[in-house]
Amino acid sequence: MGKKVKKEAETFPKDVFDPLPIESKTAATAVLMLSSPEEEVLAKACEAIHKFAEKGDENKTSLMCLGAIEPLCRLISHEDKTVRRNAVMALGVMASNIEVKKCLKTLDVIPAVISKLSPEENIVVHEFATLCLTSLSLDFSYKIQIFDHKGLEPLIHLLSSPDPDVKKNSVECIFNLVQDIQNRAAVLCLNGLPPLLDLLRSEFPVIQQLALRTIENITTDSETCVAFRNVQGFDRILELLATKEFSELHEGALRVICNCLEDSEAMQLIQTMGGLEQILQFVGTSTLPEAQANAAKAIARMAQSSENRTILHERNVEKALTDLLKQENESVRTAVCQAVAAVSKNLSSRDTFRCLDAIGPIVQLLNSEGSELRTAAAEALSSLTNSNNLNAYAIYDAGGDELLVQQLRDSCTGAAVYAASVLTNMASQEELRRSILAHEAMPALVELLHSTDNNTLISAMQAVASLACDAEARLELRNVGGLSPLVQLLKSIHAEIRRNACWAISVCANDEITALELCSAGALEILQEINPSPQRNNKFSELALQKLLDSNLSLKYSLTGHLSASDITTDGFYDPGQIRMGHQVPTLEDISKQVVNQHRATIAVNGKPPDQSITKEPDDHKSDSPTETTASSVMSSKRSSKTPSKMKGKGQKEDEKKKDEDESKPQQETVVDEAWSLPYDAAFHNLLKEAAESISPLQDEVKMYTALAMIVCEAMGGQVEPEKLHDFLWELHISELKFEACSNIVLIGKIKKGTYFHRALLFKVLADRIGLSCSLIRGEYNRAWNEILITGPKKRYGYSQPENYIIDLMHQPGNLMKSNSPAALAYQTI
């Protein structure tokens, strides 16, 4: 017995601990074992933790709280393969937990995990390392770390792994990474497209879907699209479309095609490969709404190029899209309307859609509940009516004008923008304009002028401008308060808004009443500030200012000092003197309320008798006086009378209506002050009759101008020698007239001693009324003159070129001096 014990003692060395089998039933014990120096213990502890973590998210959080994360991060780089493998498995499973992800951010684990993707590691390590990166790559900060530590390259290599789980995890991680633009470019540089395309042939649908979604994402960049074409990517995508078994991939395949179809080369390649026919076939035969919608989106993307639109038109794409409008699916209809909008940029396609009766169904989509569909329908109609009046009438016939006006008040900004655009296109036709206005389009547009969205403001102003070419529309615009917000938009910091505001104002200023209200709202001052600025002016700002001035010649002459031959003065014209640009020109009523002062008198014109209306029909204008008849006939031969007698921003019709209403009311005891009006100038009226009677019989234009010059000179105090100008006391005479009238306004007919600017003004207003053409130019130091065009005698081969002359009204009445001649310069500057 003693010998036996001695023999056993010799078998086991004294310094060796006998194996101790341990059975742990708590996770805490397993976590403690992660600090063991024994590899076998570490391997079993990691394996146990892996199995425990797989059972649920709560277990992962529990392990993290027990402190398992830090030792596991250390053990994934252990020298023992088994320990390393089991640690990676445990960490890969736990990384999907949100709290674990937060904890890992403090441990800088990404470089160690990426190192496990090397070819030397086994497939299990690859599987769980990629699983870990897939979970972490959902977080933006981890995406940056993976990119910075060059994690994309090994992930792309693993796309060719023989293990499907490794492939699935790798492609999913890459999909997460390419949501960031720098990773898309990196995939392209690392030649990641070919292995992704190979995964489209995988036997596992989840891998196919992930690969396709990744390709869809990275082909949003134009450079990737070119590379996609170069690696025969279209071949693989069209192969998917042609395989019915892959119907679940068709939607994604069409989205990839959409991404790559903006350049004409891709379009030609698709056409050569028969892809266009496949897409059009999907439009007509597919029963999957998602596939139909994406096919329509592909067509819309193709149609961004004019060359592509021509190809699509030749393939009768309009018929396919029109048929697809019959689908009840809202997303399909939305995509079709967007495709119609893109395709209709081709002129021929617009007519084709009308012939296919596609416009009516699109109009009815304006009644849809979905705002996206309403917006798409309005966009399609906007494109269809661009420079196409027949399509505009088709919308009108379908009742679209009323629906479009309703859509102006749509809460969806895009719907209102496109609706205003359609109405702008339709308003080029008078009949359609009347119908649009009848549906109260102008109040709706004025509401849009208060929008904060730039596109809405631009579309609304364009619609206002297109409708305001009618007097009734301008009246309604004034009545609904549309002029003030329009003027305020001139102050916008956005150039396009200012440009459209200037355009709308230039249209609205076509009548005097609207022009006056625009000036009252501050348009004149703002435009005068804009035009000198190279940064703020535009081609319409000068036009708008010119229109405002043309509609109020008193303002124009006061600010510019020049009236052309086409500027026809009428009763109510006045000259308050030269006023600098940027300063406000007072109205006649304002001047009439001023106390008589020593400043320059305002010269006013009003030859309309009190008992005559401003505008008379030819049949109603009968006079016993032959002179009166002659004056009227000469005046009407040049233009129709159109000037109000009051310099206010209210129309003649409004005044007459108000007057009729006042007369219909019973008289009250309270005395109401009558509105101010410019007094009648009988002397000027008599001068007009004299001029018409003496000049109308003359045939020679020189004699006509000379005769008028003599009348003006005689009326204004006669001929004055240059050296006796100081004895011609016209200032005293004007002061006497001011105090006699108790007003700073002097009627031009009452002036019996007039200097240069009085005579030039009288010559202009008389010439305008009897049909003679002349301009009025203000000089310095009380100078003004008239320029006239005189055609020379007839030559053998036709008439000579007309020449500019200045006519003398002061020293040698009727003397014609060529412009820029010494005599003319002396007349202007003495």
Side-chain angles (χ1 to χ4, degrees):
M1 182 69 178
K3 292 181 179 180
K4 185 178 180 181
V5 173
K6 184 177 180 181
K7 185 177 181 180
E8 290 179 354
E10 290 176 354
T11 304
F12 296 99
K14 296 179 180 180
D15 58 345
V16 175
F17 185 78
D18 293 340
L20 178 66
I22 298 176
E23 183 178 343
S24 175
K25 295 184 178 181
T26 64
T29 304
V31 172
L32 289 174
M33 292 169 64
L34 293 177
S35 300
S36 171
E38 297 184 51
E39 295 171 352
E40 185 177 355
V41 173
L42 291 174
K44 289 183 178 180
C46 290
E47 183 180 4
I49 289 172
H50 165 238
K51 291 179 179 180
F52 182 69
E54 277 188 322
K55 294 178 180 180
D57 213 46
E58 292 181 359
N59 292 357
K60 298 169 187 173
T61 304
S62 176
L63 287 167
M64 182 199 70
C65 295
L66 292 170
I69 303 301
E70 186 173 355
L72 283 175
C73 291
R74 184 177 63 254
L75 292 175
I76 64 174
S77 300
H78 198 278
E79 60 184 10
D80 183 79
K81 290 184 178 181
T82 304
V83 173
R84 189 164 65 244
R85 181 196 66 194
N86 292 351
V88 171
M89 292 172 65
L91 189 63
V93 171
M94 292 183 66
S96 62
N97 181 273
I98 295 176
E99 298 302 324
V100 172
K101 289 180 185 179
K102 293 179 182 178
C103 181
L104 288 172
K105 286 185 179 181
T106 64
L107 299 176
D108 192 26
V109 72
I110 294 295
V113 177
I114 291 176
S115 67
K116 301 299 160 295
L117 305 181
S118 64
E120 292 78 16
E121 298 289 351
N122 64 40
I123 288 178
V124 175
V125 172
H126 287 166
E127 177 186 348
F128 286 92
T130 53
L131 178 64
C132 180
L133 290 176
T134 299
S135 299
L136 298 179
S137 60
L138 293 170
D139 186 283
F140 181 73
S141 62
Y142 283 120
K143 289 180 184 178
I144 296 175
Q145 292 183 46
I146 294 171
F147 177 82
D148 291 341
H149 291 91
K150 298 179 173 48
L152 259 176
E153 186 172 4
L155 285 169
I156 290 173
H157 289 316
L158 289 178
L159 292 177
S160 304
S161 170
D163 185 80
D165 290 320
V166 175
K167 288 181 179 180
K168 183 262 180 187
N169 293 339
S170 298
V171 70
E172 186 174 1
C173 183
I174 292 172
F175 171 74
N176 294 338
L177 293 173
V178 295
Q179 307 305 312
D180 185 51
I181 190 169
Q182 65 176 354
N183 286 318
R184 293 179 210 160
V187 170
L188 179 62
C189 295
L190 295 169
N191 198 28
L193 273 175
L196 285 170
L197 289 169
D198 288 339
L199 292 183
L200 295 178
R201 290 175 174 169
S202 172
E203 59 181 309
F204 300 98
V206 65
I207 294 178
Q208 289 179 306
Q209 284 282 6
L210 286 168
L212 189 59
R213 291 172 65 193
T214 305
I215 293 170
E216 177 191 345
N217 203 298
I218 62 178
T219 51
T220 54
D221 295 334
S222 56
E223 291 184 8
T224 308
C225 290
V226 175
F228 180 78
R229 190 171 66 237
N230 293 338
V231 295
Q232 288 75 48
F234 281 120
D235 292 350
R236 200 63 52 84
I237 294 297
L238 292 176
E239 181 182 310
L240 286 180
L241 289 176
T243 307
K244 293 183 179 180
E245 291 76 12
F246 294 154
S247 59
E248 293 183 357
L249 301 176
H250 290 167
E251 182 183 352
L254 287 168
R255 286 198 295 266
V256 173
I257 291 176
C258 285
N259 291 342
C260 300
L261 285 179
E262 287 193 359
D263 62 291
S264 56
E265 289 186 27
M267 180 67 178
Q268 291 172 359
L269 181 60
I270 284 282
Q271 186 183 6
T272 303
M273 299 169 63
L276 182 56
E277 285 73 14
Q278 281 185 259
I279 295 172
L280 293 177
Q281 184 180 1
F282 262 92
V283 172
T285 62
S286 177
T287 57
L288 296 173
E290 295 80 5
Q292 291 175 327
N294 281 288
K297 290 177 182 178
I299 291 172
R301 184 62 66 91
M302 295 179 196
Q304 298 304 312
S305 161
S306 59
E307 296 177 3
N308 293 354
R309 288 193 292 271
T310 302
I311 296 172
L312 289 168
H313 176 64
E314 292 171 352
R315 293 292 187 277
N316 200 21
V317 70
E318 299 88 357
K319 178 67 167 60
L321 291 174
T322 302
D323 291 341
L324 205 53
L325 280 172
K326 300 173 184 177
Q327 297 295 321
E328 297 296 329
N329 185 277
E330 185 169 309
S331 63
V332 173
R333 286 177 165 178
T334 300
V336 172
C337 286
Q338 291 169 343
V340 170
V343 170
S344 294
K345 293 177 183 178
N346 179 280
L347 295 174
S348 300
S349 293
R350 295 174 205 167
D351 294 328
T352 304
F353 279 119
R354 184 183 67 255
C355 296
L356 292 169
D357 295 325
I359 293 179
I362 295 176
V363 168
Q364 296 310 311
L365 293 179
L366 296 174
N367 287 314
S368 303
E369 293 183 3
S371 60
E372 187 177 359
L373 178 53
R374 293 198 306 274
T375 300
E379 181 184 6
L381 295 176
S382 174
S383 185
L384 285 165
T385 54
N386 185 20
S387 302
N388 195 308
N389 294 331
L390 292 177
N391 284 355
Y393 274 102
I395 293 175
Y396 169 72
D397 293 337
D401 51 344
E402 182 176 4
L403 294 174
L404 288 164
V405 172
Q406 292 175 5
Q407 195 154 313
L408 291 176
R409 295 186 170 92
D410 199 302
S411 58
C412 177
T413 300
V417 168
Y418 286 118
S421 176
V422 181
L423 294 174
T424 300
N425 295 338
M426 295 176 68
S428 61
Q429 304 302 306
E430 183 178 358
E431 180 183 1
L432 304 188
R433 276 200 308 274
R434 288 199 302 267
S435 179
I436 292 168
L437 291 169
H439 294 304
E440 299 185 348
M442 197 60 80
L445 288 170
V446 171
E447 289 180 20
L448 294 181
L449 293 179
H450 295 91
S451 172
T452 56
D453 179 72
N454 291 345
N455 291 328
T456 301
L457 290 172
I458 291 170
S459 294
M461 286 187 288
Q462 289 174 348
V464 167
S466 63
L467 292 170
C469 56
D470 287 339
E472 294 85 356
R474 293 194 293 272
L475 174 61
E476 186 177 5
L477 181 63
R478 296 197 303 271
N479 291 340
V480 298
L483 297 182
S484 180
L486 198 58
V487 170
Q488 293 306 309
L489 290 173
L490 289 173
K491 301 177 182 178
S492 174
I493 61 174
H494 298 282
E496 190 64 16
I497 292 178
R498 284 199 310 275
R499 191 178 75 88
N500 281 279
C502 290
W503 168 241
I505 286 175
S506 70
V507 175
C508 293
N510 276 324
D511 66 74
E512 183 176 358
I513 299 173
T514 308
L516 285 171
E517 290 202 17
L518 285 168
C519 292
S520 299
L524 193 65
E525 290 79 6
I526 299 173
L527 287 169
Q528 290 178 89
E529 292 176 5
I530 289 176
N531 282 328
S533 171
Q535 291 77 29
R536 299 177 63 199
N537 67 7
N538 55 74
K539 64 180 181 179
F540 292 126
S541 61
E542 294 184 3
L543 175 64
L545 178 61
Q546 189 63 42
K547 284 279 190 177
L548 286 176
L549 296 178
D550 287 345
S551 296
N552 192 321
L553 297 184
S554 301
L555 290 178
K556 183 177 184 179
Y557 186 53
S558 179
L559 292 170
T560 66
H562 183 274
L563 293 180
S564 67
S566 61
D567 293 325
I568 307 302
T569 60
T570 52
D571 293 319
F573 179 87
Y574 66 101
D575 175 19
Q578 183 72 48
I579 295 179
R580 289 188 303 170
M581 282 283 184
H583 290 69
Q584 189 170 4
V585 179
T587 64
L588 269 177
E589 185 173 359
D590 292 338
I591 298 171
S592 71
K593 296 176 181 178
Q594 297 173 355
V595 178
V596 177
N597 54 46
Q598 300 299 320
H599 298 308
R600 184 187 186 279
T602 296
I603 312 302
V605 179
N606 185 22
K608 178 184 70 66
D611 58 340
Q612 295 181 10
S613 61
I614 295 171
T615 304
K616 293 181 178 291
E617 294 297 329
D619 293 339
D620 295 335
H621 185 78
K622 295 180 181 179
S623 173
D624 296 332
S625 168
T627 306
E628 182 84 4
T629 305
T630 304
S632 175
S633 63
V634 174
M635 291 162 62
S636 62
S637 68
K638 186 165 183 72
R639 68 206 172 273
S640 60
S641 179
K642 60 178 182 180
T643 305
S645 61
K646 302 174 185 178
M647 300 303 293
K648 285 190 173 183
K650 297 191 179 290
Q652 173 72 11
K653 294 181 180 179
E654 295 175 346
D655 292 333
E656 291 177 354
K657 180 179 179 181
K658 183 177 179 181
K659 180 179 178 183
D660 293 340
E661 292 174 353
D662 292 341
E663 289 176 353
S664 65
K665 295 179 182 179
Q667 293 184 351
Q668 304 291 327
E669 293 182 3
T670 304
V671 178
V672 180
D673 292 337
E674 293 183 0
W676 182 89
S677 62
L678 183 65
Y680 166 57
D681 189 350
F684 173 72
H685 184 70
N686 292 332
L687 274 176
L688 175 59
K689 289 195 292 184
E690 178 187 349
E693 185 178 38
S694 60
I695 293 174
S696 57
L698 302 177
Q699 300 297 320
D700 183 75
E701 61 177 343
V702 173
K703 292 181 179 180
M704 296 171 75
Y705 283 115
T706 302
L708 182 59
M710 296 296 293
I711 293 173
V712 170
C713 182
E714 183 179 349
M716 288 284 179
Q719 179 177 345
V720 182
E721 298 296 333
E723 59 273 10
K724 295 183 179 180
L725 279 173
H726 61 279
D727 295 328
F728 189 67
L729 304 178
W730 62 270
E731 295 99 332
L732 178 60
H733 172 63
I734 298 297
S735 297
E736 290 172 349
L737 292 176
K738 287 171 61 178
F739 281 96
E740 178 184 332
C742 295
S743 173
N744 292 312
I745 300 172
V746 174
L747 297 173
I748 195 168
K750 291 183 176 295
I751 300 176
K752 304 306 176 186
K753 282 188 177 181
T755 189
Y756 296 92
F757 71 90
H758 299 123
R759 299 183 184 210
L761 177 57
L762 180 59
F763 187 89
K764 170 66 174 171
V765 296
L766 288 174
D768 287 344
R769 284 159 174 75
I770 64 175
L772 292 181
S773 177
C774 75
S775 63
L776 173 63
I777 302 170
R778 191 196 306 276
E780 297 179 347
Y781 306 109
N782 297 320
R783 296 301 172 110
W785 57 90
N786 305 99
E787 287 189 353
I788 59 177
L789 272 176
I790 299 294
T791 304
K794 186 176 181 180
K795 297 182 178 181
R796 182 177 180 182
Y797 299 105
Y799 289 94
S800 58
Q801 191 74 14
E803 292 185 286
N804 263 321
Y805 288 86
I806 292 176
I807 188 163
D808 192 337
L809 305 173
M810 195 76 181
H811 310 304
Q812 300 177 32
N815 180 38
L816 296 179
M817 302 166 284
K818 282 188 177 182
S819 296
N820 298 323
S821 66
L825 293 175
Y827 185 82
Q828 299 167 19
T829 57
I830 287 178

